[in-house]
Amino acid sequence: MLMKDESSVNRLFPSDAITIARSRCQLKILDEIHAICTSLNTRFWLRGGWAIDFLLGRITRPHDDIDLVAWVRHREKIERSLIDAGFQCIPVSTS
C-alpha cells in the first residue's frame, strides 16, 4: 500500500469538514497518480467506491482508501515513481 500523510488534515477540520478535506486530498492524490502513470505511459483503473463515484460523476460518500488496478508488468516502475513523488510503501498483512 502506498499513501501520503493525511494526519495534518484530520487535526485542522471538524467532522464534516474532515470528510470534505479528505475527499479533496484523495482527489489530489488521484490526480498525482494519473500524472505519474501518464508520464510512464501506463494505465490504471479505479476500483471500489471511487470507481462508482467517477461513474456517477459525484462523490456519494466518504472514502477510507483508494483502490487502483494496473498491469502487473508496470508495478515496479509505478511503485518506484510513486515513492519518488513522496508516497510511502506500507506492507499489507495477508493474515
Side-chain angles (χ1 to χ4, degrees):
M1 174 190 305
L2 293 158
M3 65 178 289
K4 280 199 172 181
D5 181 25
E6 292 182 17
S7 61
S8 58
V9 171
N10 291 338
R11 285 192 304 269
L12 295 175
F13 298 98
S15 183
D16 288 343
I18 289 174
T19 300
I20 294 167
R22 175 172 271 166
S23 293
R24 286 182 180 156
C25 184
Q26 288 177 339
L27 287 168
K28 182 180 176 199
I29 289 168
L30 282 169
D31 189 49
E32 288 180 63
I33 293 170
H34 177 262
I36 288 167
C37 287
T38 298
S39 74
L40 297 172
N41 199 28
T42 61
R43 294 171 46 167
F44 73 92
W45 296 267
L46 289 172
R47 288 185 40 129
W50 275 113
I52 292 167
D53 284 2
F54 270 80
L55 288 172
L56 293 174
R58 62 187 170 88
I59 299 173
T60 60
R61 63 174 178 83
H63 299 281
D64 293 326
D65 60 7
I66 301 171
D67 301 310
L68 302 172
V69 177
W71 294 109
V72 71
R73 67 180 176 260
H74 301 298
R75 179 177 176 226
E76 288 183 16
K77 70 179 177 178
I78 293 172
E79 187 174 288
R80 193 170 38 254
S81 294
L82 289 170
I83 290 169
D84 290 346
F87 289 83
Q88 297 173 352
C89 187
I90 300 172
V92 177
S93 173
T94 58
S95 56

